Amino acid sequence: MKVFLELGWFFKQEKKAYISGVFLLLIVALLQLVPPKVIGIIADHINEGTITKAMLVEWVIVLVGVGIAMYVLRYYWRIMIFGSSVKLSKILRNRLYQHFTNMSPAFYQKSRVGDLMAHATNDLSAIQQTAGAGVLTLVDSLSTGGFVIIAMAFTISWKLTLICLIPMPFMAMLTSWFGTMLHKSFYKAQEAFSSLNDKTQESISGIKVIKTFGQEQEDIEDFRKQSEDVVQKNIVVAKIDSLYDPTISIITGISFFLSIAFGAKYVLNDELSIGELISFTTYLGLLIWPMLAFGWLFNIVERGRASYDRVATLLREKVEITDHDKALDTLPYGDIQYQIAEFTYPGDSQPLLNDIFLSLNAGETLGIVGKTGSGKTTLLKLLIREFEGYQGEILFGGQKLQDYKLEKLREAIGYVPQDHFLFSATVAENIAFTDPTATSEEIEHAAKLANIHDDILQFTDGYQTIVGERGVSLSGGQKQRISIARALLMNPEVLVLDDSLSAVDAKTEEAILSSLRQNRKGKTTIITSHRLSAIQHANLIIVLENGQVIERGTHEDLMELDEWYKEMYVHQQLEELVEHGGH
Ligand code: ADP
């Protein structure tokens, strides 16, 4: 029951609704006592032959009145209690979502997407159940149960009540045993479901690869197995669940048997009237619901507790990359200096970057080249604070990156990765992603700079064409150019192109780069590229190998140096020539 305490903050917040809901529940529990009593009284009058029409009408009016009152009150407590519990899942869902958006890529590297989805769906609904049905069953089983027992003992026969309650302790024990069993099996079912979620998500995102390698059958088989596993584990839950009701029926059956057997004896001994016995057995019938509710309470609360624990653990997970108290609320501006002795990815044993010392004046262009895996992207990820934990510092305008609010830092840097994500929205909305208030002129201007304007005009609905799964499918190069337009619209202090021209041809690349040179005068640009022609105009070029700078200088310096850069440059020039037949 600890979970009710843990949810205390919420009950406090929704105090009014819960107090009124519980109050109405108590009234309903009391009203429930009336009909059995009335039936007993009428039965006695029939038995004694003293029943009159007027009396019958009177009692029927009472019964109908009580019935209507219970109907109305039940409606309102449902709204109050269940209505509030929906709010709980909304609050938790928002918290989770906000937490998810604050977490850094390192968090997503170690969490499974399927688990996160399961927390956001199954776990939240289990918690909501606890705050709704859980509270209801707790209050209702205690109040209805308590009132009925009191009515039986004090208004009919305490002896008979005691006898009929004998089976109850067994029921409490069995209920708690079922609760534990259910919790265990439910947990396993939940885990299996989460694995299945993960697998589905992975397969759907990787469907192209799966098809390319003809792995469909294997994948389907794998899915079938996992899905079977979920079914099996849920069947176990269902089996335990299904055993519960019959067990309860046996126990209530025994109770009824005792009430009739002993009650009949008391009637024969004149200790009890027929009407009282009828009332008594009807009351006993009313006890079945609270008993069952008590059983359900256990499993609802068990599920809720397990889910709440998981969600709470997740919410407690620290956001690794946060603003410190005195972080500057200004846009960073100025020179960029890397002074990094060493950087190791979380969980790795070897450092990936070593001795990166370089300085870039505001307004200059830096070109970073090197083999795949040499650490180019990593270097950029440190600049946008996707990862931290390096030895040394990175300065921006003379201040450490951490001295700025993360939001301001990211606002100053327009980062375009190689593979950017486009949303299922219009082209215009995708470009204006960071600034939904942008005018269509601004959007078109950015698109022109990124050399995608003409392509967009060719689409059926121009800038209003939907892209992504539900709309037009774009080539890799078009996606890249839309991503660049998106970054350019921010007109960032620093534009970072992380191999983001890999899918466009050399001519388009040159066109984009030269329009950037003209339009971004005085602003800093950092480009990583496989094609050396893309960075040859840079003020500073560095060549990375195994996370170290092995060459640095301008294009001319590096050509003169006559090492990796020159070799690669000549090689690429030749390739270009061959591709275009020497023209
Ligand atoms: P490049 O951009 O030069 O191709 P990267 O910086 O992307 O190189 O990657 C350099 C190395 O870092 C690669 O060996 C890659 O496997 C590793 N790496 C990249 N991202 C991560 C990460 N998030 N966690 C651990 N290792 C990573």
Side-chain angles (χ1 to χ4, degrees):
M1 297 292 146
K2 215 180 76 208
V3 66
F4 286 125
L5 286 181
E6 282 167 7
L7 285 173
W9 60 269
F10 173 72
F11 296 135
K12 228 180 256 165
Q13 190 177 321
E14 294 292 318
K15 209 164 45 195
K16 256 201 205 142
Y18 272 100
I19 290 178
S20 348
V22 167
F23 181 67
L24 296 184
L25 261 177
L26 293 179
I27 297 182
V28 172
L30 280 175
L31 287 175
Q32 270 180 9
L33 299 177
V34 177
K37 201 75 206 164
V38 171
I39 293 170
I41 293 170
I42 295 175
D44 272 341
H45 281 295
I46 295 174
N47 192 32
E48 291 158 12
T50 52
I51 188 109
T52 65
K53 207 172 163 192
M55 195 193 279
L56 204 56
V57 170
E58 220 169 82
W59 284 122
V60 167
I61 291 175
V62 170
L63 285 181
V64 171
V66 168
I68 293 175
M70 285 186 359
Y71 178 88
V72 174
L73 296 182
R74 278 195 172 129
Y75 171 77
Y76 281 106
W77 70 243
R78 263 167 205 278
I79 290 193
M80 287 173 182
I81 294 183
F82 290 143
S84 304
S85 71
V86 176
K87 283 193 202 154
L88 176 63
S89 74
K90 187 186 115 190
I91 295 174
L92 289 177
R93 186 173 298 122
N94 286 347
R95 277 197 203 164
L96 262 185
Y97 189 74
Q98 193 172 5
H99 194 63
F100 286 161
T101 47
N102 283 341
M103 294 313 276
S104 69
F107 167 79
Y108 289 98
Q109 209 162 315
K110 64 177 202 273
S111 328
R112 299 188 312 169
V113 172
D115 280 344
L116 300 180
M117 297 289 285
H119 291 312
T121 50
N122 288 353
D123 280 344
L124 289 191
S125 83
I127 298 172
Q128 181 187 328
Q129 279 239 323
T130 303
V135 170
L136 156 70
T137 39
L138 176 70
V139 176
D140 206 23
S141 56
L142 291 182
S143 61
T144 307
F147 291 158
V148 170
I149 291 173
I150 290 171
M152 285 157 75
F154 290 96
T155 70
I156 303 176
S157 158
W158 61 267
K159 265 196 288 178
L160 196 54
T161 308
L162 277 184
I163 292 171
C164 294
L165 289 183
I166 290 174
M168 300 304 159
F170 296 101
M171 198 183 69
M173 270 150 50
L174 276 170
T175 305
S176 122
W177 181 78
F178 272 112
T180 321
M181 293 292 287
L182 258 178
H183 174 54
K184 282 190 188 147
S185 56
F186 179 69
Y187 190 78
K188 284 188 192 148
Q190 189 89 323
E191 289 273 282
F193 179 68
S194 162
S195 282
L196 183 70
N197 251 350
D198 225 37
K199 157 136 211 84
T200 313
Q201 199 263 346
E202 213 168 78
S203 292
I204 291 178
S205 342
I207 194 78
K208 286 186 192 143
V209 179
I210 291 171
K211 280 185 179 288
T212 314
F213 289 99
Q215 293 293 306
E216 293 99 320
Q217 283 315 317
E218 287 80 352
D219 193 60
I220 291 171
E221 180 56 18
D222 195 23
F223 181 84
R224 200 192 57 73
K225 274 198 204 131
Q226 293 211 23
S227 164
E228 179 64 31
D229 188 40
V230 173
V231 171
Q232 288 307 333
K233 291 192 168 137
N234 274 297
I235 287 180
V236 174
V237 176
K239 275 187 183 156
I240 298 176
D241 226 354
S242 340
L243 262 181
Y244 182 73
D245 284 1
T247 314
I248 295 298
S249 301
I250 291 179
I251 296 178
T252 49
I254 294 174
S255 240
F256 272 111
F257 171 75
L258 292 174
S259 79
I260 303 281
F262 284 86
K265 202 180 109 209
Y266 294 148
V267 171
L268 289 180
N269 289 347
D270 269 345
E271 285 177 51
L272 214 62
S273 72
I274 280 277
E276 282 173 325
L277 181 58
I278 292 176
S279 298
F280 189 88
T281 47
T282 323
Y283 278 140
L284 205 53
L286 280 186
L287 265 186
I288 296 178
W289 151 248
M291 288 178 194
L292 289 180
F294 209 65
W296 289 328
L297 178 66
F298 267 84
N299 85 50
I300 292 170
V301 170
E302 279 300 315
R303 287 175 195 197
R305 192 182 59 89
S307 293
Y308 191 73
D309 285 352
R310 276 194 293 264
V311 171
T313 313
L314 191 66
L315 284 175
R316 269 197 301 272
E317 184 116 11
K318 278 228 309 277
V319 178
E320 302 101 327
I321 296 183
T322 47
D323 292 335
H324 68 63
D325 294 342
K326 298 196 186 74
L328 297 170
D329 201 9
T330 51
L331 269 188
Y333 165 80
D335 304 347
I336 293 176
Q337 279 149 343
Y338 276 85
Q339 301 168 354
I340 293 182
E342 197 174 283
F343 169 70
T344 311
Y345 268 114
D348 281 3
S349 52
Q350 293 288 325
L352 194 93
L353 296 177
N354 284 299
D355 299 324
I356 308 285
F357 291 89
L358 62 93
S359 174
L360 184 70
N361 295 332
E364 287 189 347
T365 298
L366 168 70
I368 307 175
V369 291
K371 291 191 203 113
T372 307
S374 57
K376 302 184 293 291
T377 301
T378 306
L379 204 57
L380 302 176
K381 295 223 158 132
L382 297 187
L383 183 66
I384 53 173
R385 282 184 74 195
E386 253 193 33
F387 288 91
E388 284 188 334
Y390 42 82
Q391 286 175 23
E393 48 205 33
I394 302 177
L395 302 178
F396 193 163
Q399 301 268 7
K400 279 195 277 187
L401 293 184
Q402 287 77 0
D403 290 342
Y404 298 99
K405 283 203 165 154
L406 193 59
E407 191 192 315
K408 291 292 169 189
L409 178 75
R410 302 235 167 115
E411 208 179 311
I413 303 175
Y415 176 69
V416 189
Q418 181 177 3
D419 208 0
H420 216 144
F421 190 79
L422 296 187
F423 297 92
S424 293
T426 65
V427 175
E429 283 162 347
N430 265 291
I431 295 178
F433 174 63
T434 50
D435 177 13
T437 61
T439 62
S440 45
E441 286 77 35
E442 288 168 327
I443 294 174
E444 280 187 28
H445 179 67
K448 279 179 189 152
L449 285 183
N451 221 301
I452 183 73
H453 177 69
D454 294 339
D455 291 49
I456 295 174
L457 294 184
Q458 302 291 317
F459 300 156
T460 32
D461 295 321
Y463 278 86
Q464 297 312 315
T465 312
I466 304 272
V467 300
E469 281 171 18
R470 287 185 291 127
V472 66
S473 62
L474 302 171
S475 73
Q478 286 170 331
K479 279 190 207 160
Q480 285 189 337
R481 281 177 286 153
I482 290 182
S483 307
I484 292 177
R486 183 189 277 172
L488 288 175
L489 185 82
M490 290 164 66
N491 195 17
E493 216 43 63
V494 182
L495 176 68
V496 178
L497 301 180
D498 188 2
D499 214 359
S500 34
L501 290 164
S502 57
V504 302
D505 59 63
K507 244 174 77 191
T508 315
E509 176 184 89
E510 182 43 40
I512 295 174
L513 290 171
S514 84
S515 72
L516 287 187
R517 275 196 294 277
Q518 282 165 25
N519 278 276
R520 287 188 49 81
K521 284 220 173 79
K523 302 217 162 175
T524 311
T525 307
I526 301 179
I527 306 175
T528 77
S529 173
H530 277 98
R531 230 184 263 135
L532 301 192
S533 57
I535 50 104
Q536 65 179 349
H537 298 290
N539 304 82
L540 173 67
I541 298 170
I542 59 169
V543 179
L544 282 185
E545 191 173 290
N546 293 328
Q548 276 173 319
V549 180
I550 53 163
E551 291 172 43
R552 68 168 73 209
T554 59
H555 173 72
E556 289 72 27
D557 296 339
L558 296 181
M559 290 305 279
E560 209 163 296
L561 193 66
D562 198 8
E563 293 204 10
W564 187 89
Y565 182 88
K566 176 165 182 201
E567 192 186 324
M568 205 61 186
Y569 188 79
V570 172
H571 177 80
Q572 288 187 354
Q573 290 287 311
L574 274 176
E575 242 177 24
E576 185 81 350
L577 271 180
V578 174
E579 243 167 56
H580 295 94
H583 296 300

